[in-house]
Amino acid sequence: MTVNAPILNLRVLRLHCENAAFLAAQWPLAQDSPAHRMVDLYDLEDRLSAHVEALALAGPVALDLALEGLATADSRANRGELHVAAALALRLRAGAELAQLLPDPALTMAAAEPIGLAAAMLPPALIAPRLRRWLDAADPVAAAAGLVACRQLRADPGAALAPLIAHPDPQVATHAANLAGELGRVDLLPHLQRRIASEVGIAAARAAALLGDRGAAPTALAERLTPACPADQARQAAELLPLILPRSEARALIAALSRDPRMRRWSIVACAALGDVELLNGLITLMSDPVQTRIAGAAFCQITGARMGAENLELAQFPEEPDDGPADPVERFIDSHLYWPDPDRIRDWLAPRATRMASGERLLLGLAAWTHPAPPDLPNDAAHRSQLDLRAWALEIACRSPEAPLPNHRAPVRLAPRGFARP
């Protein structure tokens, strides 16, 4: 019997590569997006997986095209191309080590995250043995990629994690600290506390705080929340500190941050985390500031549970983007996906509801924060809530029970009998 060999259309394969790279670059941003809900993540992840599966069927030809795309991509913004090339190389070169999968110029520490995320999408049989080798590897990029994959999957490396927290490479140690805190590994709290004074400080302090440290960790987070703090770490500190500080100290921190124009964004993020109804009028006032208006609107919604689009609380006409908006690309992405709030409509919305909001109670999505259920349940109307809302819910649950893992709001979304769910 004659079996015809498949005919590979290089133009179609290049389109698969380009589309997969675009989606892979958007995926990490969407995981903490104020506009993406679980259904949106499901759609994005499903399309990304479909493109990668189509390329995998083409075999080495597709891998060559992916590596060609990686070679021509801008090294400062090539995470999508890295993800696609890594996903195909991991499938098609099962026995190869990381250094043999991708070209040397691509194997920088910045590549660890897209490689790790690509690995986490593979079937367990393909990735489990490799992850063990990566975590034990002398190559810091391999170790970091393995930790990123474990974090995405909430996989516990067991005894291998403590030495990685003490790793001499600060980026490996940072990934290890993040994983320890999010797994609820309270046995590693002393290891994390020893690293708070090092260059791994913010990650170690955040992880220690998630594991129940209410002394050195909050102090270190507050001290490092300065204009020099990178935006991702500043957001992590600002959204966590109000959950672990006494209310009076949290309010004092917010007031201090708000006095510095460079830190005002983080004071608003901290307001949202504190969830105090007495802060709502101040947030409405900030909605007149074109730079802070959208983040203030998001904070208002996180506290009250208002849904700005569904309840028609946004401006009828949107202004131009402010020239002095956030410099960080992730924060720009967040702002670009937020509503432009209308302060007058929001005041009208709040007026009949304000008396029903308990003063002195920390609110999250319109309810007392302590009433939100822990996994496997999700918050009320979770299907309509954004990834940024679910991130706030996850932190609430983790701080409530330090020994429990941080709920994985970044886990792949799956179809369930009544909508969407996460493992």
Side-chain angles (χ1 to χ4, degrees):
M1 186 174 73
T2 301
V3 178
N4 293 327
I7 299 174
L8 300 178
N9 187 318
L10 294 184
R11 179 176 174 275
V12 171
L13 290 177
R14 282 198 177 91
L15 286 174
H16 279 302
C17 279
E18 291 169 5
N19 287 328
F22 173 78
L23 293 169
Q26 292 296 304
W27 186 38
L29 297 171
Q31 289 176 334
D32 289 303
S33 166
H36 286 75
R37 302 157 298 159
M38 284 198 290
V39 62
D40 303 310
L41 261 291
Y42 176 82
D43 176 66
L44 192 157
E45 291 162 358
D46 194 48
R47 287 189 290 140
L48 175 57
S49 296
H51 285 300
V52 172
E53 289 293 335
L55 289 165
L57 289 174
V61 174
L63 177 56
D64 289 343
L65 289 176
L67 292 172
E68 177 186 308
L70 176 60
T72 57
D74 183 347
S75 61
R76 294 168 297 180
N78 65 352
R79 64 175 302 138
E81 288 79 10
L82 274 165
H83 183 116
V84 176
L88 293 174
L90 288 166
R91 284 171 177 262
L92 301 175
R93 300 175 179 174
E97 297 301 326
L98 182 57
Q100 301 169 307
L101 294 178
L102 297 171
D104 285 343
L107 291 175
T108 64
M109 190 56 75
E113 186 174 351
I115 292 171
L117 290 176
M121 294 185 73
L122 296 176
L126 281 178
I127 190 55
R130 182 176 270 115
L131 280 185
R132 296 188 192 99
R133 297 201 304 273
W134 284 0
L135 294 176
D136 292 334
D139 177 11
V141 177
L147 288 164
V148 169
C150 288
R151 188 182 181 192
Q152 176 69 14
L153 297 169
R154 285 292 190 273
D156 192 338
L161 193 50
L164 290 166
I165 293 173
H167 199 282
D169 188 296
Q171 294 190 63
V172 174
T174 293
H175 286 298
N178 286 330
L179 179 60
E182 294 178 9
L183 286 174
R185 288 285 302 271
V186 292
D187 58 305
L188 297 177
L189 184 54
H191 298 268
L192 293 163
Q193 290 169 326
R194 285 195 287 271
R195 299 234 62 178
I196 286 177
S198 72
E199 54 191 319
V200 188
I202 285 224
R206 175 180 178 269
L210 289 174
L211 297 177
D213 184 335
R214 297 298 179 262
T219 300
L221 284 173
E223 289 175 349
R224 291 173 181 249
L225 187 52
T226 68
C229 185
D232 60 330
Q233 296 180 357
R235 176 174 281 277
Q236 289 175 357
E239 66 188 2
L240 180 57
L241 277 167
L243 307 184
I244 59 177
L245 288 174
R247 179 173 290 268
S248 60
E249 293 182 25
R251 290 181 68 99
L253 173 72
I254 290 170
L257 292 173
S258 67
R259 287 192 288 270
D260 185 341
R262 299 169 297 174
M263 303 301 291
R264 199 158 291 148
R265 184 177 185 85
W266 309 126
S267 75
I268 296 170
V269 171
C271 282
L274 185 59
D276 193 331
V277 296
E278 295 176 9
L279 299 172
L280 293 178
N281 287 328
L283 289 172
I284 295 174
T285 300
L286 283 168
M287 293 175 198
S288 299
D289 180 344
V291 174
Q292 311 297 350
T293 180
R294 286 176 289 182
I295 196 75
F300 181 92
C301 293
Q302 183 176 316
I303 295 171
T304 63
R307 294 172 58 202
M308 202 167 292
E311 299 181 82
N312 195 27
L313 300 178
E314 62 179 333
L315 290 170
Q317 292 186 334
F318 302 157
E320 295 292 331
E321 287 285 338
D323 294 333
D324 50 352
D328 180 76
V330 175
E331 293 301 319
R332 284 202 307 273
F333 175 89
I334 289 174
D335 266 17
S336 70
H337 286 75
L338 289 172
Y339 290 99
W340 289 92
D342 185 322
D344 293 330
R345 292 180 181 179
I346 285 179
R347 284 191 188 92
D348 292 343
W349 182 92
L350 181 61
R353 296 170 173 84
T355 56
R356 301 198 296 268
M357 297 180 184
S359 180
E361 186 77 73
R362 188 161 62 80
L363 300 182
L364 174 61
L365 305 180
L367 301 173
W370 61 269
T371 66
H372 281 283
D377 295 322
L378 288 170
N380 293 333
D381 74 345
H384 301 293
R385 291 298 174 185
S386 72
Q387 285 294 110
L388 203 58
D389 289 337
L390 296 180
R391 171 172 167 149
W393 164 77
L395 284 171
E396 160 63 25
I397 300 302
C399 291
R400 187 189 303 173
S401 304
E403 72 285 354
L406 179 76
N408 194 357
H409 76 286
R410 295 190 182 98
V413 181
R414 299 286 181 258
L415 279 174
R418 295 183 179 180
F420 298 92
R422 285 190 160 100

